[in-house]
Amino acid sequence: MSLRVEIRRRVGGEAGFRLDIRLETTARRIALFGPSGAGKSLTMQAIAGLLRPDEGRIEAGGRVLFDSARGIDVPPRARRLAYLFQDYALFPHLTVRQNIGFGLTRGWFNRHGRRPLPAAAQRWVEAFRLESLLDHYPAQLSGGQRQRVALARALSTNPGLMLLDEPLSALDADLRAQMRRELARLQAQIEIPTVLITHDPGDVDILADEVFHVGQGRIQGRGLVRGTGPWRDAQSREP
């Protein structure tokens, strides 16, 4: 997959934050790495269509998602992207079954419904071993279970690109290491390209092939990830 992002956006007026991102890659697993407030989430939101840049162009897999010069701005639901939010964004009043089925068919807002899930969703229920949890609510789940539910919901839409916004940050150290390994296995299994936001070098080492260092709204360096993490040497180099 190819991903090309060249966008500019000012947030908060003339004295506010300026996002000026330029990146291009053919890597299948991409990481946006940097501290909080660097512009990583704004970049991800622009790719997903949740934030409209002031100007620029976004292209994924040869498909133009945004082009200010040509007046193109594909709606979020039509971009075929899966977005896994940091807090997983599960609906607390819906069961696991209804959360996973949300958006695939109508009628999932019936909180008492026990309808069978469509085949596209059932595949991921089985893959993530969620069968026994389908009638549970998010408050009854562990952090790892909530993450698997959110992943199943995202993958059920058959996305062309998965966006992972700090998916491990809310977990304790042991569970973080476990879910990092599970995510890596998932990446190998489904072969869907991923863009990962993280500030943890351990996430980059395991979950990315190429990393872009984001700071003060710009790409400040890039590097390839090869096992022991030589990408750290590229932190101060301009892409």
Side-chain angles (χ1 to χ4, degrees):
M1 187 210 74
S2 61
L3 177 66
R4 179 185 175 191
V5 179
E6 185 176 342
I7 55 173
R8 287 160 293 283
R9 169 70 185 257
R10 186 178 293 278
V11 181
E14 287 298 320
F17 183 81
R18 180 173 176 79
L19 186 72
D20 189 354
I21 295 292
R22 294 177 175 84
L23 69 84
E24 187 170 358
T25 180
T26 58
R28 189 172 66 85
R29 304 186 308 161
I30 305 151
L32 303 180
F33 175 80
S36 298
K40 305 185 303 298
S41 289
L42 292 176
T43 301
M44 187 83 89
Q45 291 166 16
I47 295 172
L50 304 177
L51 175 78
R52 181 184 174 91
D54 294 329
E55 57 180 324
R57 178 183 173 92
I58 301 171
E59 183 178 324
R63 185 175 177 225
V64 177
L65 304 179
F66 177 80
D67 189 327
S68 58
R70 297 167 57 191
I72 297 174
D73 187 9
V74 178
R77 287 182 62 87
R79 295 194 179 197
R80 289 195 60 241
L81 308 178
Y83 199 131
L84 184 63
F85 293 90
Q86 183 174 350
D87 61 359
Y88 310 139
L90 298 178
F91 298 103
H93 62 293
L94 299 183
T95 65
V96 167
R97 183 194 314 273
Q98 292 166 323
N99 266 286
I100 295 173
F102 181 81
L104 291 177
T105 60
R106 297 186 178 183
W108 290 100
F109 287 106
N110 177 2
R111 61 182 299 170
H112 301 294
R114 298 173 60 89
R115 296 170 52 190
L117 284 165
Q122 186 61 35
R123 170 191 175 188
W124 299 111
V125 168
E126 296 169 1
F128 293 131
R129 304 180 301 279
L130 297 171
E131 294 94 333
S132 65
L133 302 175
L134 287 176
D135 295 316
H136 287 56
Y137 290 90
Q140 299 173 292
L141 307 179
S142 69
Q145 289 169 336
R146 286 195 295 270
Q147 184 185 71
R148 294 202 299 273
V149 172
L151 283 168
R153 181 178 65 183
L155 290 167
S156 294
T157 62
N158 191 29
L161 177 66
M162 177 170 287
L163 308 177
L164 307 172
D165 189 350
E166 296 273 12
L168 306 177
S169 64
L171 308 179
D172 61 44
D174 290 342
L175 185 55
R176 186 184 185 99
Q178 174 189 337
M179 292 307 298
R180 186 185 285 150
R181 291 191 296 270
E182 289 197 18
L183 269 179
R185 284 195 292 269
L186 174 67
Q187 287 175 319
Q189 173 189 354
I190 63 176
E191 297 188 351
I192 294 175
T194 57
V195 179
L196 167 75
I197 287 179
T198 187
H199 61 268
D200 188 330
D203 293 344
V204 177
D205 286 334
I206 301 299
L207 301 173
D209 301 316
E210 186 170 14
V211 56
F212 292 85
H213 298 265
V214 185
Q216 299 179 333
R218 301 174 63 89
I219 301 296
Q220 298 184 335
R222 68 187 294 180
L224 299 177
V225 181
R226 298 188 183 91
T228 57
W231 58 269
R232 293 175 178 81
D233 299 334
Q235 184 163 359
S236 61
R237 296 204 302 266
E238 289 291 331

